[in-house]
Amino acid sequence: MIMSAASVWRSIGPVGATILGVAFFFAIIGVFGLSASIATLVLFVALAVFIFRLPQDQETRP
Amino acid sequence: MNLDPALLARIQFGFTVSFHIIFPTISIGLAMFLAITEGLWLKTKDPLYLQIYRFWLGIFAMAFGVGVVTGIVLSFEFGLAFAKFSQMAGPAIGPMIALEVLTSFFLEAGFLGIMLFGLHRVGPRLHFLATCMVALGTLLSASWILSANSWMQTPDGIEVVNGHVVVTDWLKVVVNPSWLYRLPHMLAAAYITGSFLVAGVGAWYLLRGEHVAFGRRTVSMGTAFATILIATQVFIGDILYQKMLQLQPAKMQAAEGFWDKQSESPAPYYWIIVPDQEHQRNRFALGTPVLGSIGLTHSLDGRVEGLKNTPIDRQPQMGWVFYGFRVMYGIAIIMFGVAVASLWLRWQRRLFTTRWFLRLLVVMTPSGVLATLGGWYLAETGRQPWVIYGILRTIDAVSPVPADALLSSLIAFVCIYGLFGTSFVLFAFRIIRRGPQDALKARMVYAPVSGNPVPAE
């Protein structure tokens, strides 16, 4: 079965987000040094604050 | 049957302090959440914030009450079960406990009544001030208790003269080497606990299709706070870890599950072990290769020090320390994953509409409490066999109390605390099942001193 572009995106998206999350995690725990971990934390928080401002759908779906 | 009084005293203190720490963690977290929520209400005049405030105020009040009552018991236990500790360390610990009472308890006592019962009786700004003062009081309380406990972990600013602690530098006693690292770690833990609690209850309402506006706002607020806090906590935790490696190497050696003086290179990261303290080895160990070197030494081939670096009579019991750390760290990793998932779903604009994620938030509701308990087990069992690290052994701190007296009081504590815990859970569920009050009614709360309710806008 050929996956639609939307379903491919839906599959890739969570995988990409997970990989990004793991990268953030390792960077924040100081694997790349203190200054890198501070910079990563600031970047993570800035990204989070940007995303917090997005409006959300209102209907629950499975 | 011969029961060991020292063991019973430790079990009793362990049980009562484990029960106690649940409630301050919740009340510290919720107090800050309430202060932010009421501030948002005053700024935006959105009645939903006031509805959220009123709902969580009830649960905060219960947690606060149980926390105070069970906290008082602990100070009595110092004297009753660990009299030699009180006798020796009283000059350092006593003033810090007294300062907690003078600063935080007095502050909370002055403003808690206004916070809980003043919505109809004082103006909104005074009420907000009361909420902020109570939140500040919980923060100060945590500061003093962490200062006292951190001094027991890393004592400084004292001399021991004729078996008694004599303070030579109060600043070093209060701002001892681990306090500056442990305090933000504990505060972040409490705020994360509050965030997941709030988000979990909001998600439960969304799944049931009840109080939907309330649910959306609390899920949004809870996951937003949790996302920023857990990332910060991971950062703080790593710095604390590195500091404790210097200050209490035996604790951290036990926390990683390695016995040999130097682990193999690269070192694995153990998830499950069955330690054999007597033979100084693991009967079974399951881990991820290389991850230990990366996570613990920040290199691909670093070696990790094991517990054999510490003389046997100064070693903590590895099992307690290891699993305390794994519970805390494991839950923190899951929390971080939930935070990243919440960011992805927000990006997709599906935060309130993805049922699997809402179910996950409900499951995560008590996660902060469990992680905090794990962290305290790591801290306290990792300090063993010392009650004051390097100065007084726990076995030497116990009072000469008969075992049957300790056993009977332990049974009484289990019964009474069981009643407390069950009551708290039942009443909290009742409040949650009943749901938040109608937002429109919530607007009619603040009033001038005359006491007549008026709309807030």
Side-chain angles (χ1 to χ4, degrees), chain B residues 278-327:
Chain B
E278 188 183 345
H279 298 102
Q280 302 277 287
R281 65 183 178 87
N282 287 329
R283 286 183 196 155
F284 172 79
L286 180 69
T288 306
V290 190
L291 201 58
S293 291
I294 296 173
L296 307 176
T297 69
H298 299 167
S299 71
L300 287 172
D301 56 357
R303 295 174 188 271
V304 182
E305 288 191 352
L307 197 52
K308 284 182 182 173
N309 287 289
T310 303
I312 289 178
D313 65 339
R314 293 176 172 228
Q315 289 178 359
Q317 290 292 316
M318 183 182 276
W320 286 99
V321 188
F322 178 86
Y323 283 108
F325 188 41
R326 287 303 175 278
V327 167

Side-chain angles (χ1 to χ4, degrees), chain A residues 10 13 17 21 25-26 28-31 37-38 41 44 48 50-52 54-61, chain B residues 216 224 227-228 231-232 234-235 238 291 294 298 329 336 340 343-347 349-353 355:
Chain A
R10 285 209 167 201
F25 184 81
F26 274 103
I28 290 173
I29 63 168
V31 169
S37 64
I38 292 170
L41 179 62
F44 184 89
F50 170 73
I51 294 174
F52 292 161
L54 295 174
Q56 300 297 308
D57 289 352
Q58 304 296 309
E59 297 302 320
T60 305
R61 69 180 80 166
Chain B
R216 283 181 195 140
T227 299
I228 290 174
T232 311
V234 167
F235 173 76
D238 184 64
L291 201 58
I294 296 173
H298 299 167
Y329 191 57
F336 192 86
V340 172
L343 281 181
W344 171 254
L345 290 171
R346 271 185 205 266
W347 177 257
R349 298 165 198 253
R350 294 188 289 136
L351 184 67
F352 306 140
T353 58
R355 293 187 75 84

Side-chain angles (χ1 to χ4, degrees), chain B residues 23 57-67 423-424 427-428 431:
Chain B
F23 298 96
L57 187 63
I59 293 175
F60 164 79
M62 288 198 305
F64 187 90
V66 179
S423 305
F424 177 83
F427 279 107
I431 290 173

Side-chain angles (χ1 to χ4, degrees), chain B residues 208-436:
Chain B
R208 290 169 65 94
E210 297 172 354
H211 314 294
V212 173
F214 176 95
R216 283 181 195 140
R217 187 68 58 88
T218 49
V219 165
S220 180
M221 290 175 76
T223 52
F225 293 148
T227 299
I228 290 174
L229 287 165
I230 190 65
T232 311
Q233 180 72 313
V234 167
F235 173 76
I236 296 168
D238 184 64
I239 292 175
L240 175 61
Y241 183 96
Q242 302 301 329
K243 193 69 187 173
M244 295 315 284
L245 268 179
Q246 299 168 16
L247 299 171
Q248 287 185 330
K251 176 189 285 183
M252 307 323 288
Q253 289 157 6
E256 295 307 343
F258 292 104
W259 289 100
D260 292 338
K261 288 196 171 183
Q262 291 282 311
S263 71
E264 70 257 47
S265 173
Y269 190 84
Y270 289 137
W271 298 103
I272 298 170
I273 60 167
V274 181
D276 180 351
Q277 194 92 14
E278 188 183 345
H279 298 102
Q280 302 277 287
R281 65 183 178 87
N282 287 329
R283 286 183 196 155
F284 172 79
L286 180 69
T288 306
V290 190
L291 201 58
S293 291
I294 296 173
L296 307 176
T297 69
H298 299 167
S299 71
L300 287 172
D301 56 357
R303 295 174 188 271
V304 182
E305 288 191 352
L307 197 52
K308 284 182 182 173
N309 287 289
T310 303
I312 289 178
D313 65 339
R314 293 176 172 228
Q315 289 178 359
Q317 290 292 316
M318 183 182 276
W320 286 99
V321 188
F322 178 86
Y323 283 108
F325 188 41
R326 287 303 175 278
V327 167
M328 178 189 71
Y329 191 57
I331 292 175
I333 291 173
I334 296 169
M335 285 172 163
F336 192 86
V338 171
V340 172
S342 78
L343 281 181
W344 171 254
L345 290 171
R346 271 185 205 266
W347 177 257
Q348 293 283 298
R349 298 165 198 253
R350 294 188 289 136
L351 184 67
F352 306 140
T353 58
T354 309
R355 293 187 75 84
W356 68 262
F357 182 72
L358 297 175
R359 287 193 197 102
L360 180 61
L361 283 181
V362 173
V363 172
M364 293 295 287
T365 305
S367 57
V369 169
L370 297 174
T372 304
L373 277 172
W376 276 103
Y377 274 94
L378 162 69
E380 297 301 289
T381 60
R383 191 191 59 221
Q384 302 304 320
W386 306 98
V387 65
I388 307 171
Y389 193 70
I391 293 177
L392 178 66
R393 284 175 179 273
T394 308
I395 193 78
D396 298 327
V398 178
S399 306
V401 180
D404 52 358
L406 284 163
L407 182 64
S408 55
S409 56
L410 173 61
I411 292 168
F413 275 127
V414 170
C415 294
I416 295 167
Y417 280 24
L419 193 66
F420 275 163
T422 308
S423 305
F424 177 83
V425 171
L426 285 178
F427 279 107
F429 272 117
R430 182 183 287 184
I431 290 173
I432 292 166
R433 267 205 307 271
R434 199 170 54 195

Side-chain angles (χ1 to χ4, degrees), chain B residues 69-91:
Chain B
V69 169
T70 54
I72 290 168
V73 170
L74 297 176
S75 50
F76 283 107
E77 275 183 280
F78 283 146
L80 291 171
F82 296 93
K84 290 176 185 172
F85 162 75
S86 301
Q87 199 175 21
M88 183 183 193

